[in-house]
Amino acid sequence: MCLCPDVLYQEYRDTSKQQEIEQRRQRDGLPTAGSGVTAVPALQLQLRNSMHSLSLWQNLEAVKDSGLLKTLEAKEIILQEAMFELVTSEASYYKSLELLETHFLRNPVLVNTLSQSDMHFLFSNIEDIMKASERFLMDLEHRIEESILISDVCDIVYCHAVKHFQVFISYVINQAYQEKNYRRILQENTLFRENISILENQPKVKGLSFTSFLILPFQRITRLKLLVQNILKKVEENSKREKTAILAHQELERIVKECNEGVRKMSRTEELISIEKTLEFKSKSVPVISHSRWLLKKGEVQQMSGPKSTRTMRSRKLYHPIYLFLFNNLLLITKRSSSGEKYQVLDSCSRSMLRTEDLEDQGQMLACVFVLKLLENQEDREVSYMLKTESISEKMRWIYALTPNRRTRFLSTSTHQPDSPQVQCIQSYSSQEPDELSVEMADVLHILECTDDGWMLGERLHDGERGWFPIRVVERIMNAEVRAQNLKECQRIQQVQEGAQGARAASRGRRPAKTRNGNA
């Protein structure tokens, strides 16, 4: 029984995430689809060579006819649905890859407008990605053909992740060049620009952009990790399926981590080189480029100087603009040149020697003001700067970037607080600054801090990543049971991973030592 969705992966993914949001809204007692808000399109999948539509494992005719729904426990049906979603979503993903190949990669209308090097910049090793997906999907389909009651899928995920999924890493790392060259080609190549517009507007693409196809591999490997994580939450503890789910999750997490680190490393090095070219050191030069350094935040703030009275606080003469470059291990305090292209370095300090003091409680006049103390600056002296930002949220963001160990309003998930505030993302957001966090629809985040002017500092539950994002893209999770369940599932994932890592470490410790000739 081979599965082939009637929707492209981009549609499947968005609808699946919207369903997660709707289920949470229902438990929160909020309006859901069909109750005054825009209805969510039904997720329709189709059996190959069949017109019967389906959305769930339990809706398969073979499942209905088997009588399994009468004999299986509810938790096993839920687990079957989780495994089934992994299979059907892979089929949808492969369908989108096929369209990327036939409609774009192999299309003479497009190919004839590009040089061989530009073809490589745009499509990279997408053909290797396709082969990996095809092999993976075939094995998943064979498993379902063996029995309508799915025994496991995580063993297949683990096997393919180990043997074939390395191709994702090279593709994702190349994406930074891919995006840059795509913009360049659009500007330089008029014929390509016209043809890509024609291809994007054809009905089979369903209004989706060319770039939405190019980013599919990274979206898929990330989503695959979450689908396995969802299965891991539902399998019985200490069962064989739990062991395979743990192995699959760990391998996928390793791949996603390598993808992220590869992208970051490339972009960070380019950024450091770019910044160093703009710096002018007045006296003591500080080497900026380092493999262990990256930019955390940069921007202009106002340095306050002179006597602080109510009258002078309103005077523009009190404020002098300075520009801060904050790296993970270094702060540079600079002054922008009149041309705006160069920055004269006035002072520097190790990040570990920075301290901040919020002056919010000293009156409305100081609501956007904080004190930055350098315990040991470039001249080995202790100095203080009184700084003013444009908004309260910008002040909070600078304070937490400069002094990361500062206590937040709410505690981290690692403290295991039973009823910590949580939000769910209802609209995707791409980070605009280094201290921001990109969030996807349905992401659940633990709140560490929030400001009165529309920003939150959050920690994503499924990977622990932290950053700021606008409040408008999330909804608070009101149901205490939902929050507790989210935290419990998060902690279970952490515990099983720690247990597996401990077991591997103990196993390595028990291995007999080898002699010089290689014998134990």
Side-chain angles (χ1 to χ4, degrees):
M1 186 194 64
C2 296
L3 297 172
C4 183
D6 195 32
V7 291
L8 295 173
Y9 183 68
Q10 294 94 318
E11 301 170 291
Y12 188 111
R13 183 171 168 267
D14 288 346
T15 306
S16 178
K17 290 187 173 190
Q18 188 64 50
Q19 286 181 338
E20 289 180 42
I21 294 169
E22 293 299 325
Q23 288 168 1
R24 190 266 310 158
R25 280 177 174 165
Q26 198 170 27
R27 294 185 68 179
D28 269 352
L30 297 174
T32 57
S35 57
V37 297
T38 305
V40 180
L43 188 62
Q44 295 293 319
L45 306 179
Q46 289 187 327
L47 286 173
R48 193 176 294 155
N49 302 321
S50 169
M51 293 306 292
H52 295 291
S53 63
L54 60 119
S55 57
L56 299 168
W57 173 80
Q58 59 195 291
N59 289 345
L60 288 169
E61 289 298 327
V63 173
K64 291 179 181 178
D65 296 342
S66 69
L68 283 169
L69 297 177
K70 296 176 182 178
T71 59
L72 291 177
E73 293 183 18
K75 62 181 181 181
E76 179 60 33
I77 294 174
I78 292 170
L79 177 57
Q80 290 291 315
E81 297 292 4
M83 293 190 289
F84 186 66
E85 184 186 359
L86 189 147
V87 181
T88 53
S89 62
E90 186 64 28
S92 178
Y93 165 65
Y94 185 68
K95 180 181 176 68
S96 287
L97 286 182
E98 281 187 316
L99 191 57
L100 172 61
E101 180 187 40
T102 57
H103 193 63
F104 295 104
L105 176 62
R106 302 290 180 209
N107 197 322
V109 172
L110 201 66
V111 174
N112 294 338
T113 67
L114 293 170
S115 66
Q116 194 171 352
S117 60
D118 282 346
M119 282 289 292
H120 178 70
F121 279 135
L122 286 184
F123 297 102
S124 187
N125 63 329
I126 194 67
E127 291 176 287
D128 295 332
I129 296 279
M130 284 198 67
K131 289 174 184 175
S133 178
E134 184 175 20
R135 284 190 294 256
F136 182 43
L137 181 58
M138 283 180 65
D139 283 352
L140 290 172
E141 288 181 331
H142 289 156
R143 177 60 56 85
I144 294 182
E145 287 168 0
E146 288 172 1
S147 171
I148 195 62
L149 182 64
I150 307 169
S151 58
D152 196 1
V153 291
C154 290
D155 57 334
I156 297 173
V157 175
Y158 174 69
C159 178
H160 282 261
V162 171
K163 293 180 179 179
H164 307 300
F165 286 0
Q166 286 295 115
V167 293
F168 280 95
I169 298 171
S170 51
Y171 184 88
V172 172
I173 290 174
N174 186 58
Q175 272 193 282
Y177 291 116
Q178 189 183 61
E179 292 167 12
K180 191 184 297 182
N181 279 284
Y182 179 59
R183 290 193 296 269
R184 173 186 60 78
I185 295 166
L186 281 177
Q187 288 179 340
E188 297 175 356
N189 192 329
T190 306
L191 190 56
F192 171 81
R193 186 169 64 247
E194 292 172 354
N195 287 341
I196 203 75
S197 178
I198 292 168
L199 293 176
E200 285 179 332
N201 286 310
Q202 290 186 5
K204 65 170 71 175
V205 182
K206 302 185 179 182
L208 296 165
S209 68
F210 172 53
T211 53
S212 77
F213 288 89
L214 292 179
I215 62 173
L216 283 171
F218 185 53
Q219 289 181 336
R220 181 55 185 167
I221 196 68
T222 307
R223 184 67 177 167
L224 195 56
K225 190 193 90 167
L226 295 181
L227 290 170
V228 169
Q229 197 173 87
N230 191 38
I231 293 169
L232 182 53
K233 293 172 186 175
K234 294 171 172 56
V235 292
E236 289 184 15
E237 292 186 27
N238 302 316
S239 65
K240 184 180 178 182
R241 288 195 291 201
E242 184 191 57
K243 290 178 182 177
T244 59
I246 291 170
L247 288 171
H249 185 266
Q250 286 177 334
E251 192 61 25
L252 289 171
E253 192 165 65
R254 178 191 66 78
I255 292 169
V256 171
K257 188 176 180 180
E258 282 193 40
C259 287
N260 287 329
E261 287 179 351
V263 171
R264 285 172 183 161
K265 187 176 180 180
M266 290 178 71
S267 61
R268 284 170 176 174
T269 303
E270 286 182 0
E271 194 168 39
L272 289 177
I273 294 169
S274 176
I275 290 171
E276 189 173 61
K277 288 177 181 177
T278 66
L279 298 177
E280 293 178 340
F281 291 89
K282 193 174 181 181
S283 54
K284 188 178 180 181
S285 179
V286 179
V288 173
I289 299 174
S290 167
H291 290 300
S292 59
R293 179 170 293 151
W294 60 88
L295 184 72
L296 293 180
K297 190 169 177 61
K298 64 178 180 178
E300 187 173 276
V301 294
Q302 301 294 321
Q303 181 186 359
M304 302 174 68
S305 56
K308 282 49 166 205
S309 66
T310 303
R311 183 174 59 82
T312 59
M313 291 283 283
R314 295 194 180 97
S315 171
R316 289 186 179 180
K317 293 180 181 179
L318 179 66
Y319 307 108
H320 303 284
I322 60 173
Y323 202 94
L324 306 182
F325 288 96
L326 178 65
F327 304 95
N328 63 308
N329 53 10
L330 174 71
L331 170 68
L332 296 180
I333 298 175
T334 74
K335 180 182 178 181
R336 199 199 296 252
S337 66
S338 56
S339 67
E341 296 176 355
K342 295 285 185 179
Y343 298 87
Q344 185 181 35
V345 179
L346 306 174
D347 209 347
S348 64
C349 181
S350 167
R351 188 178 177 219
S352 63
M353 301 298 282
L354 300 175
R355 300 294 182 269
T356 57
E357 180 188 354
D358 192 354
L359 301 181
E360 183 180 24
D361 58 353
Q362 296 187 27
Q364 186 61 34
M365 196 72 72
L366 298 173
C368 295
V369 177
F370 70 98
V371 174
L372 171 62
K373 186 178 289 186
L374 281 58
L375 299 181
E376 191 177 294
N377 74 345
Q378 62 186 20
E379 296 173 354
D380 299 327
R381 293 190 298 112
E382 182 178 312
V383 292
S384 292
Y385 294 84
M386 185 174 282
L387 304 175
K388 183 180 181 182
T389 60
E390 290 186 353
S391 64
I392 293 174
S393 60
E394 189 61 18
K395 178 194 70 174
M396 298 302 294
R397 286 169 65 165
W398 270 116
I399 287 175
Y400 286 113
L402 290 160
T403 47
N405 294 327
R406 182 186 179 90
R407 184 170 178 174
T408 52
R409 187 182 307 186
F410 306 110
L411 298 176
S412 167
T413 49
S414 60
T415 60
H416 305 303
Q417 294 296 309
D419 196 25
S420 301
Q422 295 174 11
V423 293
Q424 185 174 44
C425 180
I426 57 170
Q427 178 187 336
S428 295
Y429 175 76
S430 296
S431 61
Q432 307 298 309
E433 299 289 339
D435 65 335
E436 293 179 7
L437 180 68
S438 293
V439 289
E440 295 279 347
M441 279 176 60
D443 278 354
V444 175
L445 301 110
H446 174 80
I447 299 308
L448 300 171
E449 188 63 74
C450 54
T451 68
D452 295 333
D453 56 352
W455 285 85
M456 282 184 170
L457 174 64
E459 180 180 80
R460 189 162 43 218
L461 260 63
H462 75 75
D463 61 6
E465 290 282 327
R466 289 187 181 191
W468 292 88
F469 51 87
I471 291 175
R472 61 179 169 80
V473 303
V474 298
E475 283 181 350
R476 281 192 179 264
I477 299 176
M478 308 306 294
N479 190 307
E481 289 183 8
V482 174
R483 292 196 300 271
Q485 182 182 342
N486 289 338
L487 192 59
K488 184 180 178 182
E489 289 175 347
C490 174
Q491 289 168 359
R492 186 189 173 191
I493 297 295
Q494 290 172 350
Q495 287 167 0
V496 296
Q497 284 187 306
E498 288 167 4
Q501 288 167 358
R504 282 206 308 273
S507 175
R508 284 196 297 268
R510 288 194 299 269
R511 285 176 186 168
K514 289 186 177 181
T515 60
R516 189 169 295 180
N517 63 9
N519 296 322

